[in-house]
Amino acid sequence: MADLVMGNVEAGTSDEDIKAFLVKYGFPPFDEIEHLPGNGSRPAVLLTFRDAPPEALSSLLPRVQDMFWKNRKIHVHIVNERYS
């Protein structure tokens, strides 16, 4: 299982748009999504991939890291450990 944070996502971007974008660049479909609004200036999403090891997702990160998408330069990284 792996978690990925995709930051600086344009507010209002649908879950389906996020999934389609990532799948287009080789990512498997995510199993869960949690929207993290923060202070509103740089919304993010936390994506859970139940059947993907962190190493597999790490190899895909360069495909989308710092890409300009929906009027924003997005940032992605693997979350090593979740905190409650």
Side-chain angles (χ1 to χ4, degrees):
M1 184 169 100
D3 293 320
L4 179 132
V5 173
M6 184 172 165
N8 203 27
V9 176
E10 183 177 10
T13 301
S14 72
D15 297 357
E16 294 79 22
D17 282 349
I18 294 167
K19 185 175 280 191
F21 171 75
L22 292 173
V23 168
K24 177 180 178 179
Y25 290 98
F27 286 78
F30 54 82
D31 298 297
E32 294 177 29
I33 185 169
E34 179 182 347
H35 292 263
L36 309 169
N39 67 5
S41 65
R42 292 185 175 184
V45 291
L46 175 65
L47 307 166
T48 300
F49 297 84
R50 288 195 190 106
D51 296 328
E55 299 79 23
L57 292 181
S58 290
S59 69
L60 298 170
L61 291 183
R63 296 179 182 189
V64 295
Q65 178 66 14
D66 295 329
M67 182 176 279
F68 195 75
W69 180 60
K70 289 190 168 262
N71 302 313
R72 302 265 186 145
K73 185 176 178 181
I74 61 168
H75 306 284
V76 292
H77 67 274
I78 303 296
V79 177
N80 292 325
E81 206 174 306
R82 273 201 193 187
Y83 297 96
S84 300

